[in-house]
Amino acid sequence: MYLFKEVPNIKFTSKRYYAFALSGLIILAGIYMFFTRGFNMGIDFSGGTLIEASFLKPTSIPQVRSMLSKVSLGDAQITRIGSENKFFIKTMASLKKMNISNETKMEGVEEYELVARQIRNSMLDSAEMDQETAGKIDLNNTAEGEIARFLRDKGLGDEDALASAKIIIDLRKGKNGIITDFSALENAGIKHRVMTVLRDNTFLSKFTFLSVEFVGPQVGKDLRRKAALACVWALIGMLVYIAFRFKFLYGLSGILTLFHDVLVSLSFVLFFRIEMSLQVVAAILTIVGYSINDTIVVFDRLRDNLKIMKKDDLEAILDKSLNQTLSRSIFTSLTVFLTVLSLYLFGGEVIRPFAFTMLVGVIAGSYSTIYQSCAWLKVWEKYFLKRKKS
């Protein structure tokens, strides 16, 4: 299937310096943003605590921030998940920042767990806090094993304690993860004598932590190093492959094109303050693979045309090759773009950094295939090869 009835005759290569200038401006702006503001590092690379919290009542970001301010965490990054009443709370807080002395640290409890507990306490209202102070446990924010131990301590047998704890956790896997009423527990099959203990010794808060994740500073540093190495090795691999399949100058042009795509994508990640995470690294590596595939198709056609059009100059052959593969490039890019656009619009908050990076990468990859890869070959021919001949 072809987009054009006849092969177009667009002089792409003659516009190469405009393309170099446009790409250079974007990349320089990205470099400026990197040195002045830096990446918005996710906990994958910076280390910290990430909590996914769900609230029973409609809650806004300012309300969540107000709660966190009670424990000196008002500067935490808070992101609403779609239109739901759920939020991601990211913080690099430490006990020192929260004005908590190391003496309060309990044996066997990690620092991030204490941070999560402090955040949870900030979200309890006064009535819930009174019940906690009285020794009651919150069934919406207590782990299964802890619930079972609590019930055993209240004199229930192992079988009843374990079965009841499992039912409670299963109920929390519902739509918003929150148990709203004790009758829901009774209806789920918890025995009457267990319900008596639960009504007297537990309470149900109006929020729950759906997940709590932590990455230490050293782990974050290691991940940054490994992510950078993954990108470098991917580019070296591409250079070797193209140099082996075509010529070294083709490989060099291909690598410059890939560098261009990676740098443009990272520049837009910086412009829009997209969180730098392993998702973004995965998207960058995907772009490297996608973009080089498009470039190889053009180089394949170029190699054939070089044998046929021996009397034509290189610029004419480059334009001919680009025009012959233009329909294929547009259709391929458009299908990938629409797929990633759907992922960005409907995939949810979690996958959005990956989809955004891919969207930019697909556009940059399509543009660079036309205005960078072949244009660099023309640069080699004009400046490098001629000097070598002389």
Side-chain angles (χ1 to χ4, degrees), residues 82 268 272-275 279 336-360:
F268 277 86
F272 289 89
R273 301 292 291 162
I274 302 298
E275 185 176 284
Q279 280 188 38
V336 175
F337 179 82
L338 291 175
T339 303
V340 181
L341 182 63
S342 300
L343 196 62
Y344 179 78
L345 294 176
F346 308 114
E349 197 68 36
V350 176
I351 202 73
R352 195 153 288 165
F354 174 84
F356 176 87
T357 312
M358 280 295 298
L359 276 176
V360 176

Side-chain angles (χ1 to χ4, degrees), residues 175-332:
K175 185 179 178 183
N176 58 10
I178 302 173
I179 303 170
T180 56
D181 195 273
F182 280 106
S183 61
L185 300 174
E186 201 161 18
N187 295 335
I190 293 183
K191 294 178 181 177
H192 180 71
R193 64 174 181 278
V194 180
M195 283 304 305
T196 302
V197 174
L198 291 176
R199 289 181 194 279
D200 292 342
N201 299 284
T202 66
F203 67 98
L204 299 168
S205 62
K206 299 176 185 62
F207 68 94
T208 187
F209 286 175
L210 298 172
S211 64
V212 178
E213 297 175 26
F214 173 76
V215 177
Q218 185 57 42
V219 175
K221 187 178 176 183
D222 288 345
L223 287 174
R224 281 202 302 274
R225 184 178 59 80
K226 288 176 180 175
L229 281 176
C231 292
V232 170
W233 282 114
L235 291 172
I236 292 174
M238 296 297 175
L239 173 64
V240 172
Y241 171 70
I242 301 175
F244 176 76
R245 182 167 170 179
F246 299 97
K247 293 178 180 177
F248 178 74
L249 287 181
Y250 285 59
L252 199 56
S253 297
I255 288 303
L256 284 174
T257 305
L258 291 180
F259 262 119
H260 165 275
D261 298 344
V262 170
L263 292 176
V264 168
S265 301
L266 290 176
S267 295
F268 277 86
V269 167
L270 283 160
F271 297 157
F272 289 89
R273 301 292 291 162
I274 302 298
E275 185 176 284
M276 177 55 81
S277 63
L278 290 176
Q279 280 188 38
V280 172
V281 175
I284 294 291
L285 291 173
T286 307
I287 290 165
V288 169
Y290 165 80
S291 181
I292 200 65
N293 182 53
D294 222 19
T295 302
I296 285 173
V297 171
V298 177
F299 283 176
D300 258 334
R301 185 57 57 96
L302 174 63
R303 183 169 54 184
D304 294 339
N305 286 337
L306 283 170
K307 296 174 184 173
I308 300 168
M309 303 168 66
K310 292 182 179 176
K311 294 183 179 177
D312 292 281
D313 64 21
L314 183 60
E315 186 168 324
I317 301 172
L318 292 170
D319 284 335
K320 181 81 172 177
S321 305
L322 287 167
N323 281 296
Q324 285 176 331
T325 55
L326 190 58
S327 290
R328 182 261 177 206
S329 296
I330 292 173
F331 281 127
T332 304

Side-chain angles (χ1 to χ4, degrees), residues 25-147:
L25 284 174
I26 294 173
I27 292 169
L28 284 175
I31 292 172
Y32 173 77
M33 295 290 284
F34 174 76
F35 283 108
T36 55
R37 198 163 61 172
F39 284 112
N40 173 25
M41 290 290 188
I43 65 164
D44 293 341
F45 297 132
S46 63
T49 304
L50 177 67
I51 295 172
E52 183 183 359
S54 173
F55 292 86
L56 183 62
K57 295 180 179 177
T59 308
S60 65
I61 289 178
Q63 286 175 310
V64 177
R65 196 173 299 286
S66 174
M67 296 175 198
L68 296 176
S69 296
K70 299 176 192 172
V71 288
S72 306
L73 293 179
D75 60 346
Q77 184 177 324
I78 305 166
T79 308
R80 179 183 284 277
I81 304 173
S83 58
E84 296 181 83
N85 215 20
K86 297 177 182 176
F87 301 86
F88 281 126
I89 299 168
K90 187 184 82 172
T91 177
M92 288 181 276
S94 61
L95 296 183
K96 184 178 178 182
K97 181 180 177 183
M98 300 172 73
N99 299 318
I100 298 173
S101 64
N102 282 327
E103 285 75 20
T104 61
K105 190 173 179 180
M106 292 172 278
E107 189 176 350
V109 179
E110 298 293 336
E111 183 169 328
Y112 80 93
E113 292 181 72
L114 286 176
V115 171
R117 287 184 189 186
Q118 289 295 315
I119 293 174
R120 176 182 161 274
N121 289 340
S122 74
M123 295 178 178
L124 293 172
D125 61 28
S126 56
E128 291 167 345
M129 187 62 80
D130 289 343
Q131 295 194 72
E132 181 144 297
T133 306
K136 296 184 178 182
I137 64 168
D138 177 8
L139 293 183
N140 277 326
N141 284 290
T142 305
E144 183 174 348
E146 200 172 335
I147 295 173

